[in-house]
């Protein structure tokens, strides 16, 4: 079981605006908050976002470098994926692999792919039908 993950970000205010909306939709609740960070928690796992010091902002994040590639979350249903997709589009957030959405991960993988303000890829995966 994953206990928590901590991610340093370039602009904590933009991160909070983006992630608060999304994580609330995924039933996470604010867990901790301080001047340089915030975390959201579900029943057992929490995600922490911390403002990176300015001296480390010269090289932006890229998921193809060594380190984190993406975060994948469980959706409640295919309809949940569809609802979040529409809300992201209304917010002007780019849907990745839109030409293959919602099956960019394969014919039985119903999912949504998009990026947060630092371009960290986020995936929202629907449960496999019949499971």
């Amino acid at each position: 079981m994953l206990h928590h993950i901590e991610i340093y970000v370039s602009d904590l205010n933009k991160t909070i605006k983006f992630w608060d909306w999304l994580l609330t939709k995924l039933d996470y609740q604010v867990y901790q908050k301080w001047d340089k960070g915030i975390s959201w928690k579900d029943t057992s796992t929490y995600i922490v976002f911390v403002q990176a010091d300015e001296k480390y902002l010269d090289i932006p994040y890229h998921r193809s470098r060594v380190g984190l590639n993406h975060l994948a979350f469980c959706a409640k249903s295919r309809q949940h994926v569809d609802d979040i997709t529409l809300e992201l589009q209304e917010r002007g957030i780019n849907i990745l692999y839109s030409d293959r959405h919602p099956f960019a991960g394969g014919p039985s993988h119903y999912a949504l792919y998009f990026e947060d303000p630092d371009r960290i890829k986020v995936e929202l995966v629907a449960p496999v039908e019949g499971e």
Side-chain angles (χ1 to χ4, degrees):
M1 176 69 60
L2 184 65
H3 187 267
H4 74 275
I5 187 165
E6 184 169 317
I7 301 171
Y8 276 58
V9 299
S10 65
D11 185 325
L12 185 60
N13 291 327
K14 284 183 183 177
T15 295
I16 290 171
K17 184 176 179 184
F18 177 87
W19 283 99
D20 185 58
W21 167 81
L22 178 63
L23 291 173
T24 299
K25 297 275 184 190
L26 300 176
D27 296 330
Y28 282 73
Q29 297 179 355
V30 172
Y31 178 51
Q32 303 157 316
K33 195 169 185 178
W34 64 102
D35 62 333
K36 292 204 173 200
I38 188 168
S39 67
W40 284 267
K41 186 175 185 178
D42 71 355
T43 54
S44 60
T45 304
Y46 63 99
I47 302 170
V48 183
F49 297 95
V50 178
Q51 175 63 55
D53 288 337
E54 192 164 330
K55 65 183 176 181
Y56 299 116
L57 295 177
D58 58 334
I59 301 173
Y61 167 82
H62 195 287
R63 66 179 172 264
S64 293
R65 290 191 180 108
V66 172
L68 178 74
N69 176 267
H70 71 281
L71 297 170
F73 294 89
C74 296
K76 298 172 190 169
S77 64
R78 286 184 171 200
Q79 185 61 53
H80 193 206
V81 170
D82 294 343
D83 292 344
I84 298 290
T85 300
L86 287 174
E87 290 188 52
L88 287 169
Q89 290 169 330
E90 288 170 1
R91 291 169 171 266
I93 295 171
N94 184 45
I95 305 302
L96 299 174
Y97 324 118
S98 60
D99 60 325
R100 295 175 283 155
H101 173 77
F103 294 106
S108 62
H109 190 76
Y110 198 94
L112 164 66
Y113 299 88
F114 54 100
E115 293 176 325
D116 87 339
D118 280 309
R119 300 199 59 213
I120 295 172
K121 184 166 70 171
V122 182
E123 179 179 359
L124 183 60
V125 184
V128 176
E129 289 185 344
E131 287 187 1

